Amino acid sequence: EKMVEPQEEMDRWILSRTSSLVQKVEEAMERYALDEATELFIPFFDELTNWYIRRNRRRFWSDEESLSRQEAFSTLYIVFKTCIKTLAPFAPYITDLIWSNLRRPEEPISVHLTSFPDPTALYRNEELERAHTAAQTVTTLGHALRKELKMKVRQPLAKAFVAVSDPLWQKALLPVLESIRDDLNV
């Protein structure tokens, strides 16, 4: 699936992350490291559900038809289909069942009649991937601190400080500060 670059950063991030997954799975398969290839799906699906979908709830649940809502569903559809094609060699029956529910009438009847996804067909931005990895790390640590201090996420914080000594991480965090604030309720 080739699509126009979406406007929302989160859509661009998950497409880039999906491209990265396909590339790493393909590289592992070429080395016959099938265990390594299958293990790549677990953190990806965790990021898909606990970062992308959770952070975009408002867009998915919106009653108003908008370009943002349309792009969110279009992006998710492309990510699902790409993942199903990538996962098909490892889980043939379940991926074929899911494919039968996702495919368009003009597409092959089985996922096994499709080509393995091309990682270069999707939007790719490694810097954006690093930024969101950094943001996820910071929010995970922030939520752990809240839990330790018995502070519910619904209770807003006046400030949050993030100590970062690595200049690459500092640079990576700048574009995602708003996501971190929002996720930690600062």
Side-chain angles (χ1 to χ4, degrees):
E1 295 280 328
K2 187 76 170 167
M3 78 180 281
V4 177
E5 182 181 325
Q7 292 179 356
E8 294 281 338
E9 180 183 290
M10 287 297 283
D11 295 342
R12 292 192 308 270
W13 168 75
I14 196 62
L15 289 171
S16 182
R17 187 65 185 83
T18 304
S19 175
S20 179
L21 169 75
V22 172
Q23 181 182 352
K24 288 175 184 173
V25 168
E26 187 174 40
E27 288 168 359
M29 288 173 71
E30 285 175 3
R31 293 190 324 273
Y32 293 101
L34 302 181
D35 57 333
E36 183 184 317
T38 56
E39 287 172 7
L40 293 166
F41 288 97
I42 296 166
F44 175 82
F45 286 128
D46 183 55
E47 289 176 16
L48 177 66
T49 57
N50 293 320
W51 190 250
Y52 178 74
I53 293 174
R54 186 173 58 81
R55 301 276 315 132
N56 285 289
R57 277 187 297 235
R58 288 183 206 103
R59 292 172 67 204
F60 290 118
W61 293 347
S62 173
D63 290 334
E64 278 184 39
E65 189 59 42
S66 67
L67 178 61
S68 178
R69 181 176 185 265
Q70 195 175 6
E71 278 189 350
F73 278 111
S74 179
T75 298
L76 193 58
Y77 181 73
I78 288 170
V79 168
F80 280 162
K81 283 180 65 179
T82 304
C83 286
I84 292 305
K85 289 178 182 181
T86 309
L87 189 58
F90 307 103
Y93 300 114
I94 190 69
T95 54
D96 214 33
L97 177 66
I98 296 168
W99 175 262
S100 69
N101 290 308
L102 287 178
R103 76 178 189 88
R104 293 187 179 112
E106 67 274 7
E107 291 178 317
I109 196 155
S110 171
V111 69
H112 305 295
L113 298 174
T114 66
S115 298
F116 194 82
D118 175 8
T120 63
L122 296 175
Y123 175 85
R124 187 72 189 270
N125 184 330
E126 291 178 29
E127 195 172 303
L128 186 60
E129 286 183 53
R130 271 191 301 278
H132 280 271
T133 298
Q136 289 174 59
T137 302
V138 169
T139 58
T140 299
L141 292 170
H143 285 299
L145 275 172
R146 276 181 166 277
K147 188 174 184 178
E148 187 179 307
L149 298 170
K150 295 183 171 88
M151 293 179 72
K152 295 190 187 286
V153 178
R154 289 187 179 183
Q155 180 182 352
L157 300 174
K159 292 180 185 176
F161 295 94
V162 179
V164 181
S165 59
D166 184 346
L168 285 174
W169 268 67
Q170 287 175 351
K171 184 181 177 192
L173 283 170
L174 288 175
V176 290
L177 286 176
E178 195 54 44
S179 289
I180 295 168
R181 280 187 200 110
D182 187 46
D183 205 61
L184 292 175
N185 194 12
V186 178

